[in-house]
Amino acid sequence: MTMALDSNKTKIARRVIEVFEFFASEQRRATVMDIVRRYDRPQSSTSELLGALVEMGLLYKDPQSRSYAPTPRLAAFGMASQPEPIASGRLFAYMDRLAQTSRSGVGLFGMVGTHAQVFRWAHGADLPNGNLECGASTLLSASPAGLLLLSSLGLGPASKMLWRLNAEAEPADRFNLTEANEAVARYGQTGGATGVSGFAPGTMMTAMLLPEGLGERRLALGVVYPTNSAVDPDALLATLEHGVQSCLAEGGDVSAPFVRSMMAI
């Protein structure tokens, strides 16, 4: 009985997060059926959940269109305990502008157990079949963002984590442990990485490790673009570094003025 109750609580928590992530993916309004279709959930329980969130002041409900929209209280929950430049929204605003200007997806990645997870995602127009959502994840060893996050642990702990990932992987998914350790050491020195994204087929990623002090654990900021894009990774990394420096400077310009230079054309 206890296990069944725990499972039910987990299911409820997951569905609440799904609703929040739906609105986080640039959806300003949603109906019950929008949520039902996106996550394949029962209509009755979804309607009940949205109603409870309205009662708690986290969502508005339009009685005429029967649609829902997030309230400022929901936004305050998300930003309340975050350090700058996340709390002010400057980092997210930079991500949105970079995604719009470069037409590439821009993600904020964090370490969750053995995985690199998308904490925040700005959609890119050139990734119609490769756009991600918040919560998407892949093994730390399978992505430049993951290897950067591993590098923040130090070489010893990172090596142990890579050994574990390789030992637990299916035979077809195992990797060259020596090369992975060398990559982590290299990325730890440079703070940047480029390679197959690991999140969506046919995509590459250029990412940088964000400075310490932006949360309990280190974060990585990455740009995801089609493999056949004419992107200069070095120029793109310079663009990211410039944007992050501006975000960290209060009142800094985060409009990514030289983002066009990332293209090797």
Side-chain angles (χ1 to χ4, degrees):
M1 179 66 72
T2 301
M3 291 182 63
L5 288 174
D6 289 343
S7 177
N8 189 49
K9 291 177 182 178
T10 301
K11 184 185 301 183
I12 293 172
R14 182 177 293 112
R15 292 183 178 180
V16 170
I17 297 301
E18 287 175 350
V19 171
F20 294 164
E21 288 182 341
F22 184 89
F23 288 112
S25 63
E26 302 181 0
Q27 301 291 334
R28 298 292 180 257
R29 307 195 70 84
T31 64
V32 171
M33 291 310 299
D34 289 332
I35 305 295
V36 168
R37 284 190 288 266
R38 171 72 72 85
Y39 300 106
D40 192 24
R41 299 305 187 194
Q43 182 176 348
S44 58
S45 60
T46 300
S47 179
E48 183 178 354
L49 172 61
L50 293 176
L53 294 175
V54 170
E55 291 179 5
M56 296 172 66
L58 297 174
L59 295 179
Y60 293 121
K61 181 179 180 181
D62 186 326
Q64 294 184 334
S65 65
R66 295 182 177 274
S67 63
Y68 298 81
T71 71
R73 186 184 182 200
L74 180 57
F77 276 170
M79 299 296 190
S81 61
Q82 296 300 310
E84 291 294 339
I86 297 175
S88 65
R90 289 202 305 272
L91 180 61
F92 291 175
Y94 169 67
M95 291 173 63
D96 290 338
R97 280 192 279 269
L98 181 58
Q100 182 179 18
T101 307
S102 68
R103 300 176 62 85
S104 301
V106 181
L108 182 65
F109 302 90
M111 186 185 304
V112 179
T114 59
H115 286 67
Q117 185 176 110
V118 179
F119 283 177
R120 207 263 179 177
W121 180 253
H123 289 272
D126 285 348
L127 289 176
N129 298 316
N131 264 317
L132 306 178
E133 300 288 348
C134 290
S137 66
T138 190
L139 290 173
L140 291 164
S141 55
S143 169
L147 293 174
L148 278 170
L149 293 169
L150 274 174
S151 73
S152 70
L153 301 178
L155 294 182
S159 181
K160 291 180 180 178
M161 178 71 78
L162 286 170
W163 184 90
R164 173 187 169 188
L165 290 171
N166 210 30
E168 295 177 352
E170 296 294 330
D173 297 327
R174 288 177 184 160
F175 51 88
N176 187 305
L177 192 56
T178 299
E179 291 181 358
N181 276 301
E182 290 175 349
V184 167
R186 184 168 64 253
Y187 297 159
Q189 291 180 341
T190 64
T194 292
V196 175
S197 79
F199 281 88
T203 60
M204 300 287 288
M205 178 193 295
T206 294
M208 68 168 288
L209 192 64
L210 294 183
E212 294 184 47
L214 296 184
E216 294 294 323
R217 299 181 181 180
R218 298 292 289 274
L219 301 168
L221 185 66
V223 179
V224 179
Y225 46 92
T227 301
N228 59 1
S229 295
V231 171
D232 180 344
D234 292 334
L236 177 51
L237 188 58
T239 295
L240 287 174
E241 291 171 346
H242 171 81
V244 169
Q245 289 174 1
S246 296
C247 285
L248 293 175
E250 187 173 354
D253 179 12
V254 295
S255 58
F258 62 94
V259 69
R260 286 185 296 276
S261 68
M262 68 180 258
M263 307 304 293
I265 55 176

